[in-house]
Amino acid sequence: MRGPAAHDQPSDPAQVRSPADLAACLRTLAAREGMSYRTLAQAAERLPPRDGRPQSLPRATASDILTGKRLPSQERLLTFLAACGVTGTHQTAPWLAARERVTAPPGEPRTSPPVRCHHTPLRLIALAAAAAISAAALTLLTARATGFLAQTRTLGPQQLVVTSKTWTHTSPDAKDATHRGDVGPGPRWFSCWTQGEWLSALNHTSDTWLRTTNDDGRPNLYISVDYVQGQNTGNLPRCP
């Protein structure tokens, strides 16, 4: 994939005001992660299925997205982000909000002038997501996402793949006081997800935790989504 180096391009999705801005920020993300059209396609093929369907990002589609010829659908955008290592609600929310801003109703011209995005590291984007999105935009995004999910999938327990041995905890945090056994790598059933303490592990940062049973058979314990293949909650419902 050819294009300017990452430091010469805009990178903050909170500053996106036009389709061209979104394409530029996605180019920066791909360049910073060292991704080409070929490696984007390969990374997408390795992602776990979403809503029961395999994820894919053909080279031609990646090219159209990064050159601004095509505005990605919500699903394509999530696949692109996951291929670049951007997962979890707080990491993907600024990008979904950026797409929402530049998706004008049919027949309504997009007149927003192009803007220069600030260069912000991915982890800072994730930590600042709540402040970067206005309450109104977040409410709209949540309502639309909830309606979409309700129509396209049935929530329930799901088998996901644990990539590395990790501790299990009685609450969604990494404190020694809540440590209760551990789980080893491999397929494992999970019942739901919730938000808790921020954790950085295996080159990922997230506040999402999944409820499961540890290797000793003790139920209702949590591990960080950082230890789950693709850092994806799949069809899991939110824990009550």
Side-chain angles (χ1 to χ4, degrees):
M1 179 177 62
R2 296 180 179 177
H7 64 269
D8 294 329
Q9 291 288 300
S11 63
D12 186 353
Q15 299 298 319
V16 167
R17 295 295 182 272
S18 71
D21 293 339
L22 180 59
C25 284
L26 289 173
R27 285 197 300 272
T28 297
L29 174 61
R32 188 166 57 224
E33 297 302 316
M35 305 297 280
S36 65
Y37 298 142
R38 179 177 61 83
T39 55
L40 280 169
Q42 292 173 341
E45 290 177 354
R46 292 193 295 267
L47 295 174
R50 180 185 297 117
D51 306 330
R53 298 189 299 274
Q55 299 191 67
S56 66
L57 189 65
R59 296 188 195 183
T61 301
S63 174
D64 287 347
I65 291 173
L66 292 175
T67 57
K69 293 180 180 178
R70 178 189 303 180
L71 188 67
S73 66
Q74 178 172 292
E75 285 202 5
R76 285 290 193 200
L77 179 57
L78 288 172
T79 297
F80 184 100
L81 295 174
C84 291
V86 179
T87 58
T89 303
H90 283 286
Q91 287 186 314
T92 59
W95 294 95
L96 293 176
R99 180 188 177 277
E100 189 73 26
R101 286 195 300 275
V102 302
T103 307
E108 181 176 313
R110 299 184 178 95
T111 58
S112 300
V115 297
R116 183 73 175 179
C117 299
H118 299 293
H119 179 73
T120 306
L122 285 177
R123 285 177 178 153
L124 292 182
I125 293 173
L127 295 174
I133 306 172
S134 68
L138 183 58
T139 300
L140 176 62
L141 175 64
T142 302
R144 292 195 177 187
T146 300
F148 173 79
L149 291 174
Q151 294 176 8
T152 58
R153 71 185 188 183
T154 300
L155 300 179
Q158 185 173 355
Q159 191 177 51
L160 302 173
V161 177
V162 177
T163 59
S164 178
K165 184 175 181 179
T166 181
W167 284 4
T168 52
H169 298 266
T170 56
S171 56
D173 58 55
K175 297 180 174 63
D176 290 344
T178 64
H179 173 212
R180 298 293 187 276
D182 51 42
V183 295
R188 181 170 298 273
W189 283 96
F190 295 86
S191 59
C192 60
W193 69 273
T194 190
Q195 288 176 291
E197 181 181 78
W198 282 94
L199 180 68
S200 294
L202 303 181
N203 297 320
H204 298 284
T205 300
S206 177
D207 67 343
T208 301
W209 294 74
L210 309 184
R211 185 185 291 175
T212 188
T213 299
N214 71 6
D215 288 344
D216 296 328
R218 179 165 180 165
N220 301 324
L221 298 176
Y222 297 89
I223 71 168
S224 170
V225 75
D226 293 347
Y227 292 93
V228 174
Q229 187 177 68
Q231 295 74 52
N232 195 336
T233 59
N235 292 355
L236 293 174
R238 186 158 188 164
C239 299

